[in-house]
Amino acid sequence: MTQEATKSGTRMANRCSVLAMLCVSLAPISVFAQETSQRPWARTPVNTLGVPGMIDTPTAHPLADADMVLTGSYFNSTSRQTFYFQITPRLSGVFRYSGIDEFLGRGQFYDRSFDLRYVLAEETGRRPAISVGLQDFGGTGIYSSEYIVATKTFGRLRATGGIGWGRLGSRGGFDNPLSILSSRFDSRPNAIGGLASTGQLDSGNWFRGDAALFGGIQYQLNDRTILTAEYSSDAYIEEEARVGFDQKIPFNFGASYSFPSGVEASGFLLYGDAIGVQFSYVLNPKGSRVAGGGIDPAPSPVGLRAPGAARDLGWTTQADAPAILQDNAAKVFERNGLSLEGIKVSAHQAEVRFRNATYQNSAQAVGRAARVMSSIMPASVETFVIIPITENGLPASSITLQRRDLEELELAPDGTWQSYARAEISDAPTRTFDPADQSFPRFSWGIGPFLDLSLFDPSSPIRADFGIALRARYEPKPGLVFSGRVKQRLNGDRGDLPASNSVIQRVRSDTGLYAQEGETAIEHLTGAYYFRPGADLYGRVTAGYLESMFGGVSGELLWKPVSSRWAFGAEINYAKQRDFDQQFGFQSYDVVTGHASAYLDVGNGFHVQADAGRYLAGDWGSTLTLEREFANGVQIGAFATLTDVSFSDFGEGSFDKGITITVPLAFLTGRSTQNKLRRIIRPVTRDGGARLFVDGRLYESVRSYHQVGLQDQWGRFWR
């Protein structure tokens, strides 16, 4: 046997022994586990990196489905702010924003990173929970790591053991046991903490290079207090080299206390050289207040008809009966927070078109409309056809209810389900009838404060402008909308954003110039026409100053059958770049953009959207968006866009990506309103993959009144 063969055999034996060690660490004391009494833990804490863990290392248990956790921690010149979301019972994600003093010679260095982790196995009496995680897989790579971790509960005690790569393989490392599968796992192409692949997925690094073991124990002193001791395999190589962080020992110790409000406070002793503190706040929109309106006035009771009253058709001979009914209906609808747009009544059927400007929940609006009709319609009218109209004048669907069902089911134990089962939901007629008297033209306006934010500038992580905004809206007839918004900045520093260094057409990265010169700005000033070109079809044409950076013309067509979870759309735009002062002038750059889009309601609140086409900088590519919506209207989503702009030409971040958060004001106040707070969180704003902002896109405005949307919200039909 040659010397080389002997070395190879030795390496193979070492790797096999490491795998054996790993099996032991991932299933601690499983023989004794079956006999251990299980006491449910009150909570699973998160670590300084914002994931379920001990102090600086992860554990295997997930949080509750839909848990959101905001975390801030600080130790030894390092601050970390994180947003954690339990996307599904097994899948979770983290966005992290970290600051390190004097790192890379830049003073305060700021880093953005994303994590994903998945629960491979849930804990049972014999088996530990097992999870796999990708840490900082789409950022600078400073915190880049991968791990497999297992956690087992023994009453008040939890024991964790795991194996890590990257940063979690930097202390006490050994030959990668995965090299048994392929020699490519022997080395990690990029050094830990390297910045060469900023923003890319760097999948070529995953689970490669030296590995190391980590672990620890947590003890639940009571329902609110947890004590922790861990062994960390993170050597903090970059921090020791660049900011003088001196690790004396690889052990960390800490305690955390959870308050009834959802706030958790923690204190740590880290690596024998630093003291750390952490605060977390846990919120679960799935288990929180239902869809708004908790302090709204009670709805009108269903009007009950006297026996035999339905046979009386005398009212049909009264010439002014339709006008009287229309006038009465308009008043009662208004008192119930709805706006009557049209009504058509015959001896046995009433068709009503209304707008809902109050209720976040579409089924609740339909239910209130049905109650109103039962209280004002003549007794002979048995069939109610309710047609909700979108904010922009599009008939969205047709809901047919029998009056006798309303009378029977209002107080029935299973009235919610039965009322949905008996309702007929179909496409709305595309031809309209005359609107209610004096309902058009419509004019509304408002004035109030505004706050514009720019996040993650390396020299100032939060920049803001605030001032006063005036908005106005005029509808001369259904579907024709003129609207505008003018802003007057009073103070702010967004104009101090660094100048763009983009090498492609600057369509978004000149934000600082627009903020600097747009002290008095026309944010948008448009005319739009919304129409129904045919069955299951919706259309929109918008022209004018479409957004703060572009004006032009935008056209959209959507195919969305009422009973389908699928929808398909197409949009084409001619856009011309506006002057930086956001008045009436334009710059020379113009572009034709457009996208083909597919939408899918997956179920359980998940929505997927895929767009493919041309973006504002002239680049071609596609965007994938995944969003989860809860019964109370809170929405959490993520998106990523890849185009033919190379990663190097795109610049920092490599490609466009981000997180979307939508919170209805009704969720915060308990009072019904359709106003929402929406924020798009991008690690960096560049020019590749940029899309035109156009108000009133069709899919979101119609889907909640279609069968799937109504079914999901029907629990509030009687509210």
Side-chain angles (χ1 to χ4, degrees):
M1 181 179 294
T2 66
Q3 183 179 11
E4 187 61 33
T6 302
K7 290 182 179 179
S8 177
T10 301
R11 284 197 299 268
M12 180 66 71
N14 289 338
R15 288 164 182 164
C16 289
S17 65
V18 168
L19 281 177
M21 291 169 59
L22 176 61
C23 291
V24 172
S25 69
L26 295 183
I29 326 177
S30 59
V31 174
F32 146 89
Q34 185 182 12
E35 303 301 326
T36 303
S37 60
Q38 295 295 315
R39 180 178 182 273
W41 272 45
R43 58 190 174 88
T44 296
V46 297
N47 65 14
T48 60
L49 291 157
V51 302
M54 291 175 284
I55 298 173
D56 223 15
T57 57
T59 55
H61 288 105
L63 299 188
D65 182 33
D67 264 358
M68 297 188 297
V69 186
L70 297 173
T71 300
S73 63
Y74 180 83
F75 67 93
N76 197 261
S77 302
T78 296
S79 62
R80 297 170 183 165
Q81 293 77 40
T82 65
F83 172 73
Y84 173 96
F85 180 48
Q86 191 70 42
I87 303 168
T88 71
R90 289 180 180 261
L91 179 67
S92 60
V94 168
F95 172 68
R96 182 183 306 106
Y97 190 60
S98 306
I100 307 174
D101 290 345
E102 302 301 327
F103 193 70
L104 300 180
R106 304 183 187 180
Q108 183 80 3
F109 175 78
Y110 295 100
D111 175 68
R112 293 141 291 184
S113 56
F114 293 92
D115 295 5
L116 280 176
R117 51 183 272 147
Y118 186 78
V119 179
L120 297 173
E122 296 179 341
E123 182 176 358
T124 66
R126 288 181 175 272
R127 182 187 65 209
I130 303 174
S131 291
V132 59
L134 300 175
Q135 182 174 292
D136 191 4
F137 69 90
T140 61
I142 288 177
Y143 291 106
S144 176
S145 184
E146 304 81 48
Y147 58 86
I148 302 173
V149 62
T151 301
K152 191 73 182 71
T153 305
F154 309 104
R156 291 178 179 268
L157 185 70
R158 274 185 174 172
T160 293
I163 182 172
W165 293 261
R167 278 193 68 133
L168 285 174
S170 58
R171 176 186 290 277
F174 45 76
D175 289 346
N176 193 340
L178 296 179
S179 297
I180 292 176
L181 305 177
S182 170
S183 61
R184 65 184 294 272
F185 289 104
D186 284 338
S187 61
R188 196 174 183 92
N190 293 328
I192 300 166
L195 299 176
S197 57
T198 299
Q200 299 181 31
L201 294 182
D202 288 334
S203 58
N205 286 352
W206 295 352
F207 301 98
R208 296 179 64 175
D210 284 353
L213 299 177
F214 61 87
I217 57 173
Q218 294 169 292
Y219 183 75
Q220 183 174 252
L221 191 63
N222 53 50
D223 286 348
R224 300 200 178 280
T225 306
I226 294 176
L227 306 178
T228 302
E230 71 171 5
Y231 169 82
S232 173
S233 56
D234 185 347
Y236 277 75
I237 294 173
E238 296 294 325
E239 287 84 353
E240 285 198 345
R242 300 174 188 270
V243 299
F245 181 30
D246 182 19
Q247 281 191 326
K248 293 182 170 59
I249 57 175
F251 296 99
N252 300 320
F253 305 92
S256 61
Y257 182 83
S258 178
F259 296 90
S261 62
V263 174
E264 179 176 290
S266 304
F268 313 118
L269 177 62
L270 295 102
Y271 304 105
D273 186 58
I275 294 176
V277 294
Q278 176 174 306
F279 294 92
S280 304
Y281 178 68
V282 182
L283 173 68
N284 191 309
K286 182 179 179 180
S288 300
R289 184 187 297 116
V290 293
I295 56 177
D296 286 340
S300 304
V302 171
L304 300 179
R305 294 171 292 182
R311 293 192 294 271
D312 183 5
L313 298 176
W315 69 274
T316 59
T317 63
Q318 185 178 341
D320 59 351
I324 293 173
L325 286 172
Q326 181 168 283
D327 184 59
N328 290 340
K331 294 175 181 177
V332 181
F333 266 73
E334 185 176 1
R335 287 201 298 267
N336 281 268
L338 305 173
S339 176
L340 182 69
E341 188 160 303
I343 189 169
K344 183 167 62 177
V345 185
S346 63
H348 302 293
Q349 177 173 300
E351 180 179 322
V352 64
R353 296 181 178 225
F354 76 96
R355 292 199 198 191
N356 166 32
T358 302
Y359 303 102
Q360 174 194 322
N361 187 291
S362 56
Q364 183 179 11
V366 172
R368 295 224 169 185
R371 287 173 177 270
V372 169
M373 294 177 72
S374 73
S375 67
I376 64 173
M377 288 297 152
S380 66
V381 177
E382 173 60 30
T383 301
F384 296 158
V385 180
I386 300 173
I387 301 175
I389 306 297
T390 70
E391 178 188 9
N392 294 316
L394 289 172
S397 63
S398 178
I399 301 104
T400 302
L401 303 168
Q402 299 304 313
R403 189 173 188 169
R404 60 179 174 270
D405 292 335
L406 298 175
E407 295 169 333
E408 174 189 345
L409 299 175
E410 180 187 19
L411 303 177
D414 59 347
T416 297
W417 166 246
Q418 286 203 49
S419 61
Y420 174 77
R422 298 184 192 184
E424 297 179 18
I425 304 172
S426 59
D427 192 19
T430 56
R431 300 181 64 180
T432 63
F433 48 82
D434 292 336
D437 290 345
Q438 301 180 345
S439 61
F440 287 92
R442 297 181 175 184
F443 177 76
S444 62
W445 68 281
I447 188 169
F450 76 85
L451 176 67
D452 290 337
L453 296 174
S454 291
L455 304 176
F456 311 129
D457 172 22
S459 62
S460 181
I462 301 178
R463 294 186 182 273
D465 288 344
F466 66 90
I468 299 295
L470 172 67
R471 58 172 177 79
R473 178 185 175 95
Y474 176 66
E475 293 181 74
K477 65 177 186 177
L480 183 60
V481 180
F482 298 95
S483 64
R485 189 169 187 253
V486 179
K487 301 191 302 184
Q488 176 63 52
R489 186 179 71 240
L490 300 179
N491 204 346
D493 61 351
R494 293 175 68 244
D496 298 331
L497 284 165
S500 171
N501 61 357
S502 179
V503 299
I504 64 174
Q505 180 63 41
R506 298 174 183 177
V507 294
R508 291 296 181 213
S509 60
D510 278 335
T511 300
L513 291 176
Y514 280 94
Q516 185 181 87
E517 298 192 24
E519 183 176 359
T520 302
I522 301 171
E523 186 177 66
H524 79 271
L525 184 63
T526 60
Y529 180 57
Y530 298 84
F531 57 97
R532 293 288 309 271
D536 301 326
L537 291 174
Y538 304 83
R540 171 188 60 81
V541 177
T542 307
Y545 298 93
L546 301 172
E547 47 142 294
S548 59
M549 296 186 183
F550 284 90
V553 181
S554 173
E556 181 184 7
L557 186 66
L558 176 73
W559 178 78
K560 173 66 175 73
V562 168
S563 60
S564 176
R565 292 184 178 272
W566 285 93
F568 297 93
E571 179 180 289
I572 187 167
N573 314 292
Y574 168 74
K576 190 171 179 66
Q577 196 162 23
R578 296 178 61 185
D579 284 342
F580 294 130
D581 63 8
Q582 297 162 74
Q583 298 292 316
F584 295 99
F586 288 93
Q587 301 182 45
S588 60
Y589 179 72
D590 62 351
V591 63
V592 175
T593 77
H595 288 81
S597 302
Y599 310 85
L600 174 62
D601 184 333
V602 180
N604 196 30
F606 286 93
H607 301 269
V608 177
Q609 178 177 339
D611 307 289
R614 194 183 195 205
Y615 294 82
L616 280 174
D619 47 331
W620 293 82
S622 59
T623 300
L624 181 64
T625 303
L626 173 65
E627 194 166 60
R628 185 174 183 184
E629 181 178 19
F630 300 95
N632 49 32
V634 174
Q635 296 170 281
I636 308 291
F639 66 89
T641 299
L642 293 174
T643 73
D644 56 5
V645 173
S646 67
F647 289 161
S648 58
D649 284 348
F650 183 93
E652 183 182 357
S654 299
F655 62 96
D656 190 40
K657 53 189 173 292
I659 297 170
T660 61
I661 302 175
T662 304
V663 180
L665 288 183
F667 172 74
L668 302 175
T669 66
R671 187 179 299 278
S672 284
T673 175
Q674 291 195 332
N675 295 327
K676 299 179 179 180
L677 301 174
R678 182 171 176 84
R679 177 62 58 187
I680 300 175
I681 301 175
R682 281 183 167 90
V684 62
T685 299
R686 304 291 291 179
D687 299 306
R691 192 170 177 182
L692 195 66
F693 298 133
V694 182
D695 188 40
R697 284 192 167 113
L698 298 172
Y699 178 71
E700 288 298 324
S701 67
V702 302
R703 70 175 178 86
S704 64
Y705 287 110
H706 284 194
Q707 183 170 320
V708 175
L710 287 170
Q711 179 180 347
D712 291 343
Q713 301 183 25
W714 202 265
R716 292 186 67 83
F717 176 81
W718 294 109
R719 294 291 298 273

